[in-house]
Amino acid sequence: MIHATQDLLAALDTVLRELAPENPPPNGPVAAFEAPKQAAHGDLAITVAMQLARTLKQNPRELATRLVEKLQAQPAVAAWVEAIEIAGPGFVNLRLKDVARQAVVREVLQGGHCFGRQAPSGRRVLVEFVSANPTGPLHVGHARQAALGDAVSSLLATQGHEVTREFYYNDAGVQIATLAASTQARLKGLKPGDALWPESAYNGDYIQDIADAFVKKQTVHADDRAFSASGDVDDLDNIRQFAVAYLRHEQDLDLQAFGLRFDNYFLESSVYANGAVETAIERMRAAGHTYEQDDALWLRTTDFGDDKDRVMRKRDGTLTYFVPDVAYHVNKFQRGFHQCINVQGSDHHGTVARVRAGLQAQGLGIPQGFPDYLLHKMVTVMRGGEEVKISKRAGSYVTLRDLVDWTSRDAVRFFLNSRKGDTEFVFDVDLALKHSDENPVFYVQYAHARICSVLRQWGEKTGGTVNIDADLAPLTAPTEKALMGKLAEYPKMLTLAAQGLSPHDVAFYLRDLAGAFHSYYAAERFIVDDPVLCAARMALLAATRQVLANALAVLGVSAPEQMQREEVDA
């Protein structure tokens, strides 16, 4: 069907150029198909006659009649279209031949795991996500970021882009000082609730774990460093560096539990160490975008669309948090990426205008709107009908590893991509554990496992293997047509989801595809006596299995070949 649609688009383009030679695409009407509002109206709809009629000052229905006459003279229409009908004021509906729908089965089997993917584009994209402070375990907000960021990266890769996944470590500032002070307090025998326990200290049990390791003079390995503890409870700088390394190692374990690997780790401390922060400030000062007021240095962010000017350097000489972010994003721009995307919590909304203003004030030709932001809302965790707010490990929040341990990596990844990022999400632990159609990830994965079961039974019974050149003509049942139509939607769905940075569209598609298969499973027998029909159905099942696996992989979810359930496959 994909090849047929491409042929038909080319035919429509030819016809449009004939109808409006003075106004050809792309400036004039562009060849495009839409999905009919009702399936009974056909497979493809053409609405361009309505637009072209205004340009040519002709009656749209009469123009649609001319368009149909010219289309019927096109070889592609003769090959793939069963009927063309004009509806309403000038809509054109195309009903495809069965052979056009059936072609997608062979296209999927030929493409394999590459089906739906585009050729290399030469476009380099950086996706920065998670980027947690190394001050504690990754929480459920980081889990949503991890799921979204990894899926967005995979989506962009399907479009042929070269994608770099980056983690920005905020290893400088007040929170790191608090981490060091909290660890030192534990080393001195204090605990939360004691009179001398610092009010701003971190209370989680993980702080005691750091202290215990420090006393033992352990060496910890993070992604790019190893650091050994001195064991000296008065050496605050050594405690700080060890605590940061220890928690970076712990976060590495969290990410491994999530099956996530980053291509690059960038340290906030590096933009201080290499002078990038001061260089960025001097550029803004030299360009006249800063001023002194109330013993502080301000940036005129209102010159770039912000609602008010922002402090850069406070009275005490410390910098506000968006200044190193500006230096970091200058670095991103100078690395030559065509697009940079930040996946962050919605609580960072206020930094968007500030960072962009700081980048515009650099005078480096950085495009307006750089970088792109994908903001997400937080996650509420429910278990046993009640909201879960406390984790023993973290002290005050549920962690990423809690979710993975309570359910599974697959459930966490699928659930957190099942809704648009800017909507609130309730993670129901009990639902994620159900082996029933209520659980969306089980529903999708079970479709894949069911297909594997049927193909396995067929192979054991007949010794046959799926034939990519099988005669597909027998695939005419309504549920077969619906399933093949859904398979054909996959490449376009990927493209639109990538353009919109919308991995939830993949989750929606998977549920629809699984639903189409489960309906097929309920309506038809697959291992039948007719060898031609049986071979065709095995090919359709294999193609469906492939697309399920491909789409699940975009979300970082596995495609199991066997799943435990009370029902027994027939």
Side-chain angles (χ1 to χ4, degrees), residues 105 475 480 483-484 487 520 536-544:
V105 174
L475 299 177
E480 289 169 335
L483 184 54
M484 290 185 290
L487 294 177
Y520 182 34
R537 286 182 170 170
M538 293 305 114
L540 175 55
L541 290 181
T544 304

Side-chain angles (χ1 to χ4, degrees), residues 268 271-272 274-282 284 319 323-324 327:
E268 179 186 1
V271 295
Y272 290 97
N274 64 16
V277 172
E278 288 303 322
T279 299
I281 293 172
E282 286 307 312
M284 291 183 276
L319 297 174
V323 179

Side-chain angles (χ1 to χ4, degrees), residues 76-91:
V77 174
W80 301 116
V81 177
E82 182 178 282
I84 307 181
E85 300 169 352
I86 300 174
F91 301 110

Side-chain angles (χ1 to χ4, degrees), residues 47-204:
T47 60
V48 72
M50 311 291 290
Q51 175 187 350
L52 192 57
R54 289 192 295 271
T55 303
L56 299 180
K57 298 180 180 180
Q58 295 182 17
N59 179 285
R61 190 171 177 92
E62 292 178 359
L63 187 59
T65 301
R66 292 177 56 203
L67 186 148
V68 168
E69 290 173 351
K70 288 184 175 293
L71 278 175
Q72 288 173 329
Q74 293 292 317
V77 174
W80 301 116
V81 177
E82 182 178 282
I84 307 181
E85 300 169 352
I86 300 174
F91 301 110
V92 177
N93 294 323
L94 278 64
R95 194 178 309 278
L96 300 179
K97 294 179 179 179
D98 288 339
V99 67
R101 296 190 192 89
Q102 294 157 355
V104 71
V105 174
R106 192 163 289 115
E107 291 166 353
V108 172
L109 295 177
Q110 288 173 338
H113 72 275
C114 292
F115 177 73
R117 302 180 72 91
Q118 305 302 314
S121 66
R123 186 174 176 82
R124 297 177 63 233
V125 182
L126 175 70
V127 183
E128 181 220 326
F129 57 108
V130 181
S131 297
N133 297 323
T135 55
L138 300 179
H139 56 61
V140 291
H142 296 130
R144 191 170 198 185
Q145 237 179 89
L148 282 170
D150 199 36
V152 164
S153 299
S154 295
L155 264 176
L156 294 169
T158 69
Q159 302 308 295
H161 306 329
E162 181 185 334
V163 181
T164 297
R165 293 165 169 84
E166 184 157 287
F167 190 120
Y168 177 63
Y169 268 119
N170 302 96
D171 64 335
V174 174
Q175 291 178 316
I176 300 302
T178 301
L179 171 65
S182 303
T183 305
Q184 188 178 52
R186 288 278 194 174
L187 285 165
K188 293 182 176 180
L190 298 175
K191 61 182 183 299
D194 288 350
L196 296 179
W197 181 255
E199 184 178 348
S200 62
Y202 299 129
N203 297 331

Side-chain angles (χ1 to χ4, degrees), residues 164-365:
T164 297
R165 293 165 169 84
E166 184 157 287
F167 190 120
Y168 177 63
Y169 268 119
N170 302 96
D171 64 335
V174 174
Q175 291 178 316
I176 300 302
T178 301
L179 171 65
S182 303
T183 305
Q184 188 178 52
R186 288 278 194 174
L187 285 165
K188 293 182 176 180
L190 298 175
K191 61 182 183 299
D194 288 350
L196 296 179
W197 181 255
E199 184 178 348
S200 62
Y202 299 129
N203 297 331
D205 286 354
Y206 68 92
I207 298 294
Q208 186 62 58
D209 295 339
I210 299 171
D212 292 343
F214 184 85
V215 169
K216 296 174 183 176
K217 299 182 180 180
Q218 289 184 358
T219 298
V220 292
H221 297 268
D223 56 271
D224 64 350
R225 67 168 68 176
F227 193 86
S228 299
S230 68
D232 182 354
V233 299
D234 294 318
D235 188 348
L236 187 60
D237 187 61
N238 187 266
I239 292 171
R240 176 185 61 80
Q241 293 187 65
F242 179 78
V244 168
Y246 185 97
L247 286 175
R248 287 183 62 184
H249 172 72
E250 287 294 302
Q251 290 182 356
D252 286 348
L253 296 178
D254 291 342
L255 296 172
Q256 289 172 24
F258 204 63
L260 179 56
R261 293 183 63 85
F262 284 89
D263 301 302
N264 190 46
Y265 292 86
F266 194 102
L267 303 183
E268 179 186 1
S269 57
S270 70
V271 295
Y272 290 97
N274 64 16
V277 172
E278 288 303 322
T279 299
I281 293 172
E282 286 307 312
R283 285 198 198 98
M284 291 183 276
R285 195 196 299 269
H289 295 301
T290 65
Y291 61 92
E292 301 273 353
Q293 182 177 303
D294 300 328
D295 297 323
L297 179 65
W298 294 69
L299 175 65
R300 289 193 178 90
T301 55
T302 50
D303 290 349
F304 304 98
D306 200 1
D307 58 345
K308 62 181 179 180
D309 292 343
R310 306 291 176 174
V311 174
M312 295 172 60
R313 197 188 304 274
K314 295 181 284 188
R315 292 178 181 178
D316 62 5
T318 60
L319 297 174
T320 52
Y321 62 90
F322 86 92
V323 179
D325 281 355
V326 171
Y328 170 45
H329 285 85
V330 169
N331 177 280
K332 285 185 179 180
F333 175 74
Q334 292 177 333
R335 279 186 270 164
F337 290 101
H338 297 91
Q339 182 181 18
C340 292
I341 301 165
N342 292 357
V343 184
Q344 295 178 321
S346 56
D347 56 323
H348 288 79
H349 183 270
T351 69
V352 174
R354 298 172 211 181
V355 170
R356 286 176 173 170
L359 293 171
Q360 291 300 299
Q362 295 296 305
L364 296 174

Side-chain angles (χ1 to χ4, degrees), residues 540-557:
L540 175 55
L541 290 181
T544 304
R545 177 179 63 177
Q546 185 68 65
V547 175
L548 284 167
N550 290 1
L552 284 167
V554 171
L555 301 182
V557 177

